[in-house]
Amino acid sequence: MQELQPLIDQIPLRFDNISRIVLLGIAQGVFLGLVILLRGGSKNKALKTFAWLLLLQSVVILDNHLCYTGLMKHVLHLNDSTEPLVLLLFPLIYLFLYQLLERKPLLVKKHWIHFVPALIYAFTQIKYYLHPLSVKYNAYLGAYHANLKEAVVPTHITYEYHWVKDEFRWLVLASFLCYAFLSIRMILSRKRTTPLPSKKNLTNKYRFSRNVVFLMITALVLVFLVFLNHDDDAGDHYIGIFNTMVAFATSFVMLSESRFFENSWIADKYETLGHQQTKLSLSIVDKYIQEHSFFLSQDASLQKLAQSLQTTTNHVSKVINVEAGMNFNEYINSFRVNCAKERLLNPKFVHLTIEAIGNSVGFKSKTAFYSAFKKHTEQSPKQYVNQNKDL
């Protein structure tokens, strides 16, 4: 080690704008991963996988940053140690999309195959990991500082692992292609079998999945160009810059979807965004409920109505309370009662019992129907039929 140290000391350090941009992406990726792990909830397995993907990717890019800046000389024993992790990135992207779209958990007995290439590669490199520091020093010089003097390696050292190591780049590209294809196929399959949400939604899992695959393909093209134009790992800093762009784009999406930008978390009960207040009125709410028969659903709620109208629950509640003079339940029940009054006298519904008609207009029980009907008409459904059947 004493003979090797002067050689290690001659490795120059490089700190420039590229190294700073790459380091910024690493920090952002770690931050996002930890936030998602801590705030994602125990039931959201897809987000947990996404968090581990971000952390794993940050570790890989950190290796790239150490090599680019020359700081790797302080931890030479770790040189090339993250190569097996690279082969885990693309399976994790696919498995994240699988959990997100299929809503199914990952099972070892079913998904173990996706981790096999990385494990096999790591196994083939065990001898390299156990080799003396001089071997790793020479490996680092070969990729980044070919002009520097190499270290003397013990004569008994053999390099059988190189037959796999030399093809690592093509293994990465093959993994990229394979999982990009699997991801695209899964998204197209889900698109054919599941109705897509409205385009008015800011973000949904299908659109997010599509964007993830788009980034995969972009990364595939970038990696191919880097491999084509640079020997060994000399161009990996471009991949690091791309990682920074992805980390901040992900941050933007997360912030855009955050409740932080909703007025509801700081507003009083009926304080809403001024722009929305000028747009929403009771006539708009009435029109939407009637045109979409919103009240017929037994699961109709203030939250669902607000989501459909692209506003907040406080805002809708205020409009109904102020302009209609009733709360949401009374308001929805007024539509249901009016519809029930029509059906009770309509010959097309004569085969239904009074309770069945109540269920058909959105009431969950006979008691709820009778109570709401009497409140709005001051008589029971039966009394209403008897009074109006001959009219």
Side-chain angles (χ1 to χ4, degrees), residues 171-315:
L171 291 176
V172 172
L173 284 175
S175 180
F176 243 135
L177 284 170
C178 175
Y179 285 100
F181 170 76
L182 291 175
S183 299
I184 292 172
R185 188 181 68 171
M186 179 171 58
I187 291 175
L188 292 177
S189 175
R190 293 295 298 175
K191 185 177 180 180
R192 286 193 297 268
T193 59
T194 306
L196 296 183
S198 167
K199 291 184 179 180
K200 293 182 180 179
N201 291 344
L202 183 60
T203 299
N204 57 64
K205 61 183 181 180
Y206 302 100
R207 191 170 296 119
F208 186 83
S209 301
R210 180 197 63 193
N211 292 339
V212 170
V213 172
F214 173 76
L215 288 175
M216 284 181 70
I217 295 173
T218 304
L220 173 62
V221 173
L222 174 64
V223 169
F224 179 75
L225 291 175
V226 168
F227 288 176
L228 197 64
N229 292 280
H230 296 272
D231 294 329
D232 295 314
D233 303 325
D236 284 359
H237 55 280
Y238 294 113
I239 302 172
I241 294 173
F242 179 76
N243 172 75
T244 300
M245 296 169 62
V246 171
F248 278 91
T250 305
S251 301
F252 176 80
V253 171
M254 289 176 61
L255 286 173
S256 298
E257 293 298 312
S258 172
R259 181 174 167 266
F260 184 83
F261 294 102
E262 294 180 8
N263 198 53
S264 58
W265 75 279
I266 54 174
D268 293 327
K269 182 175 181 182
Y270 290 132
E271 183 185 352
T272 54
L273 296 176
H275 176 65
Q276 290 179 325
Q277 286 181 332
T278 61
K279 292 174 59 178
L280 190 65
S281 64
L282 188 64
S283 61
I284 293 176
V285 179
D286 282 344
K287 183 178 179 181
Y288 177 85
I289 289 176
Q290 291 171 348
E291 288 184 351
H292 295 82
S293 299
F294 180 83
F295 59 90
L296 293 181
S297 170
Q298 294 185 352
D299 295 322
S301 66
L302 179 61
Q303 183 178 6
K304 290 183 179 179
L305 180 60
Q307 289 175 345
S308 300
L309 294 171
Q310 299 289 300
T311 185
T312 65
T313 55
N314 282 343
H315 191 184

Side-chain angles (χ1 to χ4, degrees), residues 129-146:
Y129 302 142
L130 298 177
H131 272 170
L133 202 59
S134 57
V135 174
K136 296 171 184 177
Y137 168 81
N138 289 343
Y140 176 66
L141 290 191
Y144 286 92
H145 300 286

